[in-house]
Amino acid sequence: MQLTWLGHSCVLLSGTKKVLIDPFIEGGSAAGIQPDIVAVTHGHYDPLGETVALGKKTVAISELAKYLKAKGVPVESMGIGGTIRVDGVSFTMTPALHSSSVEDAGAIVSSGLAAGFIIGMDGLTVYHAGDTGLFSDMKLIGDLYHPDIALLPIGGRYTMGVAEAMIAANFIGAKTIIPIHYNTWDGIAADPEIFKKSIERTTDLKVRVLQPGGSIEIGS
Ligand code: NI
């Protein structure tokens, strides 16, 4: 499976299927990606991004799924703690400590809870934490799902910063950690190399710092 970080929280998993998570690309477009499945962690404009324009089968929490369905998007609705299979790809929805709403024509519409995903494809397990603060049940996520890769926000302000994400990485125990949700804008500036050095000096975990558009092969 190939994992591509498209900047911010947008991640493409390319294996048996193409799964695009949180399709917001700062200064770019997801239009050329043609994913089979889109997964959206919550309703803010940055995870939601081009979800409606793409119009692909979209996995989301039930309230957000209802909103997207009304916009003409084919949806797979689910809730936190649940697992579904979509075209052979498994999605388990995890908690995230964050808010969630959609701005629609100037109004703020509630879109359920913010979430993260455990995604299983081609024998590999990827944890996308979504936008979240640190919470100790990340230990449970590690114990239950044993993710091979964890995508963790480090930008601070709206999510965990570097210090909290270091603790999260230890809770989850994925051998490879990829930092996300940082340096998109000034308000979420963070140094991923400090994150990498601090984790690799104190644990056996590896941090892969990608540039937007950068890919790694996993499971090979
Ligand atoms: Ni958010």
Side-chain angles (χ1 to χ4, degrees):
M1 187 200 299
Q2 187 179 56
L3 183 155
T4 305
W5 181 52
L6 293 154
H8 204 55
S9 295
C10 185
V11 174
L12 175 66
L13 305 178
S14 303
T16 306
K17 297 289 176 186
K18 282 167 91 170
V19 179
L20 186 63
I21 309 154
D22 287 355
F24 166 83
I25 302 177
E26 174 71 2
S29 170
I33 295 173
Q34 295 295 319
D36 299 294
I37 307 164
V38 172
V40 184
T41 59
H42 62 293
H44 292 152
Y45 77 95
D46 47 334
L48 210 50
E50 294 173 70
T51 302
V52 173
L54 286 167
K56 300 291 184 185
K57 194 179 294 180
T58 298
V59 180
I61 202 162
S62 54
E63 292 84 353
L64 180 56
K66 271 185 195 152
Y67 171 85
L68 292 170
K69 191 175 177 189
K71 298 285 180 189
V73 178
V75 291
E76 289 283 352
S77 169
M78 65 183 304
I80 288 171
T83 298
I84 60 171
R85 286 188 80 81
V86 181
D87 300 340
V89 181
S90 77
F91 294 84
T92 300
M93 187 169 272
T94 64
L97 267 185
H98 193 66
S99 58
S100 180
S101 59
V102 180
E103 279 187 60
D104 193 347
I108 293 182
V109 180
S110 171
S111 54
L113 297 173
F117 287 109
I118 297 282
I119 299 173
M121 179 166 64
D122 301 347
L124 293 163
T125 304
V126 176
Y127 173 42
H128 188 300
D131 290 10
T132 187
L134 177 65
F135 56 95
S136 58
D137 278 358
M138 285 178 175
K139 283 182 190 170
L140 200 53
I141 289 170
D143 289 347
L144 271 171
Y145 305 115
H146 305 288
D148 299 292
I149 300 239
L151 298 147
L152 302 179
I154 66 162
R157 184 178 288 258
Y158 301 108
T159 69
M160 297 187 284
V162 166
E164 294 83 6
M166 284 178 59
I167 296 168
N170 279 292
F171 282 171
I172 296 155
K175 287 209 171 63
T176 304
I177 311 288
I178 298 175
I180 60 172
H181 206 281
Y182 68 96
N183 290 353
T184 321
W185 309 291
D186 290 345
I188 55 170
D191 186 340
E193 294 300 334
I194 290 177
F195 179 63
K196 177 181 171 71
K197 280 182 195 143
S198 304
I199 287 190
E200 293 186 351
R201 196 167 48 220
T202 53
T203 73
D204 293 333
L205 311 176
K206 295 285 176 224
V207 175
R208 295 292 301 266
V209 176
L210 300 175
Q211 296 303 310
S215 297
I216 59 166
E217 286 293 333
I218 53 176
S220 57

